[in-house]
């Protein structure tokens, strides 16, 4: 377990980790990899809407942080590369489970709030 940090301080190390976890494609990629190891092209198909560039950047960042493992099998031409969750990545996936559940339970509430806000008088304060 790590030390407590001031998460509001600009140089707080946990703030960097939280920014990574909250990055646009991270939760979706983690959801996809929960099913097991996948090749890049498989991930690209499963994670609808992600560009190849964004997926590459996300996977590299997650590999850098030890959340995703990249295994290359060079004996195959072209080399086969699989991505999978590491134990650290699995623990992150499990920690995000309540957030996924919250999102699923409240998607209607959020849609209604957005609808109200979009009405001309909805966002006047």
């Amino acid at each position: 377990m790590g030390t407590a940090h001031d998460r509001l301080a600009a140089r707080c190390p946990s703030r960097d980790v939280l920014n990574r976890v909250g990055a646009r494609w991270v939760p979706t990629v983690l959801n996809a990899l929960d099913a097991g190891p996948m090749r890049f092209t498989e991930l690209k198909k499963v994670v609808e809407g992600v560009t190849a560039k964004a997926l590459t950047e996300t996977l590299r960042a997650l590999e850098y942080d030890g959340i995703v493992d990249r295994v290359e099998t060079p004996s195959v031409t072209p080399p086969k590369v699989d991505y999978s969750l590491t134990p650290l990545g699995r623990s992150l996936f499990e920690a995000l489970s309540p957030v996924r559940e919250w999102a699923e339970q409240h998607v209607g509430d959020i849609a209604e709030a957005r609808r109200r806000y979009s009405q001309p008088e909805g966002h006047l304060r």
Side-chain angles (χ1 to χ4, degrees), residues 25-34 62 67 85 89 92-93 96:
W25 295 106
V26 168
T28 310
V29 168
L30 294 177
N31 273 310
L33 290 175
D34 177 52
L62 292 173
I67 294 168
L85 294 177
L92 174 57
F93 174 78
L96 290 175

Side-chain angles (χ1 to χ4, degrees), residues 1 3 9 12 18 22 25 32 50 64 73-74 80 85 95 115 119-120:
M1 193 61 70
T3 15
C12 178
L18 289 170
W25 295 106
V50 69
Y64 176 75
T73 309
K80 179 182 175 191
L85 294 177
R115 186 194 62 72
Q119 293 175 349

Side-chain angles (χ1 to χ4, degrees), residues 1-106:
M1 193 61 70
T3 15
H5 296 284
D6 180 359
R7 291 178 298 278
L8 299 179
R11 300 184 84 150
C12 178
S14 66
R15 194 171 175 181
D16 181 52
V17 174
L18 289 170
N19 286 338
R20 173 78 77 224
V21 170
R24 180 174 184 182
W25 295 106
V26 168
T28 310
V29 168
L30 294 177
N31 273 310
L33 290 175
D34 177 52
M38 296 179 121
R39 296 181 75 175
F40 185 88
T41 52
E42 292 174 296
L43 274 168
K44 179 110 175 43
K45 287 178 188 173
V46 171
V47 180
E48 295 180 8
V50 69
T51 65
K53 180 181 183 222
L55 183 56
T56 297
E57 290 171 355
T58 300
L59 289 168
R60 284 184 183 156
L62 292 173
E63 182 184 8
Y64 176 75
D65 287 344
I67 294 168
V68 165
D69 194 22
R70 179 185 186 273
V71 176
E72 184 175 331
T73 309
S75 60
V76 181
T77 305
K80 179 182 175 191
V81 178
D82 285 302
Y83 296 92
S84 61
L85 294 177
T86 64
L88 182 63
R90 172 89 26 222
S91 72
L92 174 57
F93 174 78
E94 291 169 3
L96 290 175
S97 181
V99 175
R100 285 189 306 276
E101 291 171 12
W102 182 90
E104 290 168 3
Q105 290 172 0
H106 296 285

